[in-house]
Amino acid sequence: MGRATLTIDLGAIAANWRALDAATAGAVETGAVIKAGAYGLGMGRVARTLAHAGARKFFLAIAEEAAAVRAALGPGPEIYVFSGHMPGDAELIRDLDLIPMLNSLDQATEHFERIAGHPFAVQLDSGMNRLGMEPAEWAALRDVLAGEGPRLVASHLACADEPDHEMNQIQLDLFRAMTADLDAPLSLSATGGILLGTAYHFDLTRPGIGLYGGAPYADAAPVVRLSLPVIQTRIAEPGETVGYGNTWRAEVPSRIATVNAGYADGLMRALTGTAQLYDGDVPCPAVGRVSMDMIGVDITHLEHAPAALDILCPAQGVDALAEAAGTIGYEVLTSLGSRYDRHYEGAET
Ligand SMILES: *Cc1c(COP(=O)(O)O)cnc(C)c1O
């Protein structure tokens, strides 16, 4: 088979959720962020796995993402929408029983005019300037919204992956001030915030990337393996080149394997000249430009002809590959393409 194989370890996702849940003490609840198709790994299967592990609150970016989640989970689990109540969303929110995170006076007005009495949450801007009510807006609306009983009042940290960044304390202080004496469950932290310590935990945490094996959760169990079949091998003689643009030239007789995935599969062209593929734990450098569907790999040092080489594996996780591409693990995961033969292991349902 020519297709590359993407193996997703659902058991590892469940284990990562449990470990992040155990990292917060006592009454702190742990939600699960499964936006963007569970960071590209498969919305329905991941949602079911996490529900089975004990998650009861799920977070998505937009209301339209929720249909697959509601279908997978059935009634019961709470599904929150970060982008809030957008014009035209009222029916979806009502029919799928979603909880929009109201981000502004406009969204609050839309919500109470269209589906008064339907559950809602509130998102506050504590300094990131991305989503949420600003302090002055919130001050004006706080009593009215608090009186309607928000399911959650949340904000988001901009620099939580840098524990020593001064922004963390600034946002913590502002979030505390904005929510002082408020009678509603509070949430500030995603994966990075969980690792900052108990002051950041409040009533509910919202981990995403840590569930999927990415930094800043260094202790995460690896979740993905991506194995690329070798289509063909050849010898490049000294002076011969590999790939578009002749960017790599053999200095010694070199055995070159061509593997079956490229930038159309989310293996960014920026990996040209930096990527390693693995035969077990033996690294093999990618050579020549990354093509749309193929990558050349120097396997001169291997004693056998491998049928496939791994580009995501225990020896090279999503963050190591991200670094080679000059990006972050989040982008590597959410870029993984639709052509892979996806295998799920460790399902708990
Ligand atoms: C994506 C997101 C999260 C999850 O963040 P991770 O860094 O992946 O843990 C939590 N809250 C909000 C508002 C988000 O946008």
Side-chain angles (χ1 to χ4, degrees):
M1 185 178 68
R3 278 207 291 175
T5 305
L6 178 64
T7 306
I8 296 158
D9 187 344
L10 295 171
I13 294 176
N16 288 333
W17 185 86
R18 287 200 193 91
L20 287 168
D21 186 43
T24 60
V28 181
E29 185 175 351
T30 303
V33 179
I34 56 170
K35 61 193 180 192
Y39 290 40
L41 299 183
M43 190 90 97
R45 317 232 13 192
V46 170
R48 272 197 301 277
T49 299
L50 291 169
H52 192 262
R56 289 290 168 266
K57 293 182 169 59
F58 294 85
F59 292 84
L60 301 172
I62 56 174
E64 287 80 357
E65 292 183 316
V69 180
R70 190 52 90 199
L73 298 180
E78 294 180 0
I79 302 177
Y80 292 81
V81 180
F82 287 136
S83 59
H85 192 137
M86 295 293 285
D89 279 356
E91 273 184 30
L92 207 52
I93 289 170
R94 189 191 56 215
D95 294 351
L96 294 176
D97 195 13
L98 311 179
I99 305 176
M101 306 196 54
L102 303 180
N103 288 299
S104 63
L105 170 61
D106 282 354
Q107 290 202 342
T109 306
E110 182 87 11
H111 189 77
F112 293 110
E113 279 182 358
R114 305 236 175 243
I115 44 175
H118 187 90
F120 69 98
V122 177
Q123 198 156 215
L124 303 177
D125 177 28
S126 57
M128 191 172 180
N129 280 305
R130 190 177 69 165
L131 276 184
M133 298 188 192
E134 307 242 338
E137 188 178 25
W138 170 239
L141 291 174
R142 193 185 131 129
D143 288 347
V144 177
L145 291 178
E148 298 286 333
R151 293 287 179 93
L152 191 66
V153 175
S155 189
H156 193 49
L157 297 168
C159 304
D161 57 343
E162 297 175 56
D164 297 330
H165 202 296
E166 61 176 9
M167 188 65 167
N168 296 321
Q169 186 71 43
I170 291 170
Q171 288 194 264
L172 177 62
D173 291 345
L174 183 55
F175 184 63
R176 278 188 175 140
M178 289 172 88
T179 57
D181 302 320
L182 192 69
D183 184 18
L186 303 178
S187 176
L188 180 61
S189 286
T191 304
I194 294 173
L195 305 173
L196 294 178
T198 51
Y200 289 82
H201 294 167
F202 295 92
D203 300 301
L204 174 85
T205 61
R206 312 182 309 268
I209 192 71
L211 306 176
Y212 311 111
Y217 184 34
D219 296 335
V223 169
V224 289
R225 177 186 288 272
L226 180 53
S227 190
L228 312 182
V230 175
I231 311 169
Q232 196 181 13
T233 61
R234 72 188 63 252
I235 301 293
E237 299 294 349
E240 290 186 354
T241 57
V242 172
Y244 285 119
N246 288 3
T247 58
W248 186 88
R249 190 175 297 273
E251 286 171 7
V252 296
S254 303
R255 183 174 293 278
I256 304 298
T258 302
V259 296
N260 216 1
Y263 60 76
D265 304 291
L267 301 175
M268 296 91 174
R269 197 161 170 278
L271 288 166
T272 296
T274 63
Q276 303 274 357
L277 285 86
Y278 282 81
D279 177 49
D281 53 9
V282 181
C284 308
V287 293
R289 282 197 188 140
V290 173
S291 298
M292 187 184 293
D293 321 294
M294 281 165 273
I295 303 175
V297 187
D298 186 349
I299 58 166
T300 310
H301 55 302
L302 299 184
E303 278 164 12
H304 66 123
L309 293 164
D310 293 341
I311 193 159
L312 289 170
C313 54
Q316 178 169 263
V318 289
D319 295 296
L321 187 64
E323 199 180 321
T327 182
I328 54 176
Y330 299 71
E331 193 179 5
V332 166
L333 285 174
T334 55
S335 299
L336 292 172
S338 56
R339 283 198 286 189
Y340 297 125
D341 182 27
R342 289 174 179 239
H343 284 273
Y344 289 88
E345 2 174 278
E348 299 192 20
T349 45

